[in-house]
Amino acid sequence: MPSLEAIIWYLFLLDSIGANITAWFFGGWFKKKMGKGFWKHLPVTKGWTFIYLALVVWVGVGLWRLGII
């Protein structure tokens, strides 16, 4: 059974992949549908979502080296 850290990391990995797919392929749709209210303060941009994915992968490498995942 995977540890709690591994489960949380996999959830973050899925979220970062989903954010990247949205930013790279559906950015215009997201701005049109979610451009009002709270989401105008959290823009979905290619740069930020790529950094998010890179940080999640970096943490994953650390967890893998520790033998957690």
Side-chain angles (χ1 to χ4, degrees):
M1 179 165 175
S3 66
L4 179 62
E5 293 87 357
I7 294 170
I8 292 171
W9 181 78
Y10 283 120
L11 291 174
F12 273 108
L13 180 64
L14 288 174
D15 181 58
S16 65
I17 290 171
N20 270 281
I21 290 171
T22 302
W24 287 91
F25 300 109
F26 303 108
W29 172 84
F30 186 83
K31 278 185 182 178
K32 191 169 91 172
K33 293 292 183 183
M34 306 288 185
K36 299 175 184 164
F38 175 74
W39 293 107
K40 70 180 177 181
H41 301 292
L42 295 171
V44 177
T45 60
K46 295 175 185 175
W48 286 116
T49 57
F50 181 75
I51 290 171
Y52 176 37
L53 178 62
L55 289 173
V56 169
V57 169
W58 179 58
V59 169
V61 169
L63 290 173
W64 177 69
R65 290 178 71 178
L66 289 171
I68 295 175
I69 57 173

